Amino acid sequence: MSWRSAKTSPSPDEIIHQSSLSTGIGSMCSSSSYSPINKRVSSVGSVWTLEISNLKECGSVFEVVTCLRRIEEVLNDIDPFDILRYCKADFEGALRVLRNNGLPITEKLSKSFIAMMVKYFDECRLWVLPEIILQEIFLMLPVDEIGVIPSVCSYWKTLYTSDVVWKTQYASKFLLSNPTSAPSEAVSRFGYWSLFRDRLADPHTGDVVEVAWRGKFRLEGQDVYQGLAWWVATVVDHRPPSRYKIHYPGWEERWDEWVDRRRLRWGSQKDLTTRLGVNDPIELWCCGLSVPGAWLESTVKKVRRGQYCVLRAQSSGSVWVTRDRIRPRRRKRTGSSNDSVTDIVPQTISGQMCFPGGRCSVM
């Protein structure tokens, strides 16, 4: 867009016909009788053109700062859509003129330009949403997928670490299954974001987790499963820094054991929406009527009419199951506690059998 640049202030009528802002808005005011709203729109367009012309002619940093303040007041009266459509190119053009004129751009002045560009001319309007709306959006995202939010901008980073977001996440992740483990008022002053991270690394007594175990096992039937499985368990004791005593629900207490933190992971909800195909790594849910069971790591071999053939899940070979019994295998992150889990998971002990209540056996 081109604007008239002159030492003398142009008349309102000239501005309406020459400026793209006034031309764009002028279509609303082309009738013989203007409404009060159309008159005000025309007036705003005239003031905008005048201030942009003044900005181009500034000869000092002080004049630029003063002009920017007046421009900001004008922008506050213009519709956001019109700002992007008509005003953005004008403002950028004025900045190019200042640079070509050799005006010294100080660090403070540069920050002012950037702040105005971000506040008024950023075509992504998400950042200007009210805090409560953004925080509600954050809460809709899975916990393991919101880690990129702080990298968007400092404003989002501030909202990301607020208690409004993480108090809810903390309650959803930990307190639903372990309601008596809520932090005290004194502890909560450290912030729920920090409490959430600390608890992920150090489960509390009563937390429901999953424990890695490799070998063959049978659940209330003749089918024998084999491989690396993640068994549902509850933390019943803790020996700092990284030893946990766990109990398997449905099993007798004599099967409780002390395990290293690397053998533990937090459970996750079933994922029935992700599309799975041949060769996709998955986890198969193995359970009995009375025993919670385990998630067995495997791979999809075939897919046929809503049925999935799971590779080498049983000692007898592959097994066909429905979609509700499998989920995508959990992704391992560099540096996570599960990176070397295959090195520390105990193998099957030959000849050892267990019959907790006669409902299952481990071979």
Side-chain angles (χ1 to χ4, degrees):
M1 293 183 290
S2 60
W3 298 89
R4 176 174 179 176
S5 176
K7 294 295 182 181
T8 58
S9 300
S11 66
D13 292 336
E14 290 176 329
I15 295 174
I16 291 177
H17 292 290
Q18 294 179 9
S19 69
S20 58
L21 172 61
S22 298
T23 301
I25 302 177
S27 61
M28 300 167 51
C29 314
S30 58
S31 60
S32 58
S33 59
Y34 290 172
S35 67
I37 295 179
N38 287 340
K39 289 182 179 180
R40 185 173 186 278
V41 170
S42 177
S43 175
V44 170
S46 301
V47 175
W48 168 257
T49 304
L50 177 61
E51 294 300 343
I52 284 294
S53 297
N54 292 337
L55 179 60
K56 294 178 180 179
E57 298 169 4
C58 289
S60 67
V61 174
F62 176 79
E63 291 178 356
V64 172
V65 172
T66 304
C67 192
L68 288 179
R69 292 174 181 172
R70 296 197 302 267
I71 288 177
E72 190 168 4
E73 293 177 359
V74 177
L75 289 172
N76 289 334
D77 288 334
I78 301 178
D79 182 83
F81 176 79
D82 289 333
I83 288 177
L84 293 176
R85 185 177 180 183
Y86 302 114
C87 302
K88 182 177 181 180
D90 298 341
F91 186 77
E92 293 175 343
L95 299 186
R96 285 193 293 270
V97 170
L98 291 176
R99 185 171 61 249
N100 294 336
N101 291 342
L103 181 74
I105 306 299
T106 64
E107 181 179 356
K108 183 176 181 180
L109 190 58
S110 178
K111 290 182 178 180
S112 298
F113 289 149
I114 294 174
M116 287 198 66
M117 290 296 295
V118 170
K119 184 176 181 180
Y120 295 104
F121 304 114
D122 189 345
E123 297 187 24
C124 176
R125 308 304 294 174
L126 283 177
W127 72 272
V128 298
L129 291 175
E131 291 186 8
I132 188 64
I133 300 299
L134 277 174
Q135 290 166 341
E136 287 296 325
I137 294 175
F138 295 166
L139 289 173
M140 296 178 185
L141 300 175
V143 173
D144 57 352
E145 295 182 8
I146 64 178
V148 297
I149 289 177
S151 63
V152 176
C153 61
S154 58
Y155 176 63
W156 280 28
K157 182 177 181 179
T158 300
L159 297 183
Y160 169 82
T161 56
S162 68
D163 277 357
V164 174
V165 173
W166 288 102
K167 185 175 183 179
T168 303
Q169 295 284 14
Y170 189 94
S172 176
K173 182 71 174 180
F174 307 116
L175 302 186
L176 290 180
S177 60
N178 192 7
T180 61
S181 62
S184 64
E185 182 178 351
V187 174
S188 62
R189 293 177 181 175
F190 292 100
Y192 277 89
W193 182 46
S194 297
L195 294 177
F196 190 96
R197 291 184 304 168
D198 293 343
R199 188 154 178 178
L200 277 183
D202 184 16
H204 292 188
T205 300
D207 284 343
V208 178
V209 295
E210 294 175 358
V211 184
W213 190 91
R214 181 184 295 277
K216 296 182 179 180
F217 57 93
R218 179 187 294 127
L219 298 171
E220 300 178 341
Q222 298 303 314
D223 296 329
V224 178
Y225 298 95
Q226 62 181 4
L228 177 62
W230 293 90
W231 291 78
V232 177
T234 303
V235 177
V236 295
D237 200 356
H238 178 210
R239 184 181 299 162
S242 59
R243 298 289 292 175
Y244 299 84
K245 186 178 182 180
I246 52 92
H247 170 72
Y248 299 100
W251 294 62
E252 297 177 357
E253 291 185 3
R254 64 191 181 96
W255 295 107
D256 294 356
E257 61 176 330
W258 287 91
V259 300
D260 186 85
R261 175 64 180 88
R262 291 178 297 169
R263 284 185 59 191
L264 301 182
R265 75 176 186 184
W266 293 95
S268 62
Q269 297 179 344
K270 283 186 177 181
D271 181 355
L272 299 178
T273 59
T274 300
R275 186 175 180 178
L276 297 175
V278 177
N279 296 326
D280 283 345
I282 54 93
E283 294 177 354
L284 170 67
W285 178 240
C286 311
C287 66
L289 296 177
S290 304
V291 181
W295 288 99
L296 179 67
E297 293 189 357
S298 188
T299 306
V300 175
K301 182 179 180 181
K302 299 178 182 178
V303 180
R304 184 182 303 161
R305 294 190 294 273
Q307 296 282 324
Y308 296 80
C309 181
V310 180
L311 185 64
R312 294 189 298 272
Q314 297 180 351
S315 58
S316 57
S318 303
V319 57
W320 286 89
V321 297
T322 55
R323 178 62 177 84
D324 60 338
R325 282 192 60 190
I326 60 177
R327 68 182 183 187
R329 190 182 304 177
R330 301 269 290 275
R331 296 190 300 269
K332 297 179 181 179
R333 296 179 175 82
T334 302
S336 69
S337 59
N338 294 332
D339 282 344
S340 57
V341 68
T342 55
D343 298 330
I344 48 84
V345 174
Q347 304 294 318
T348 302
I349 301 177
S350 178
Q352 187 177 58
M353 304 286 291
C354 73
F355 299 89
R359 291 171 292 197
C360 62
S361 63
V362 177
M363 301 178 182

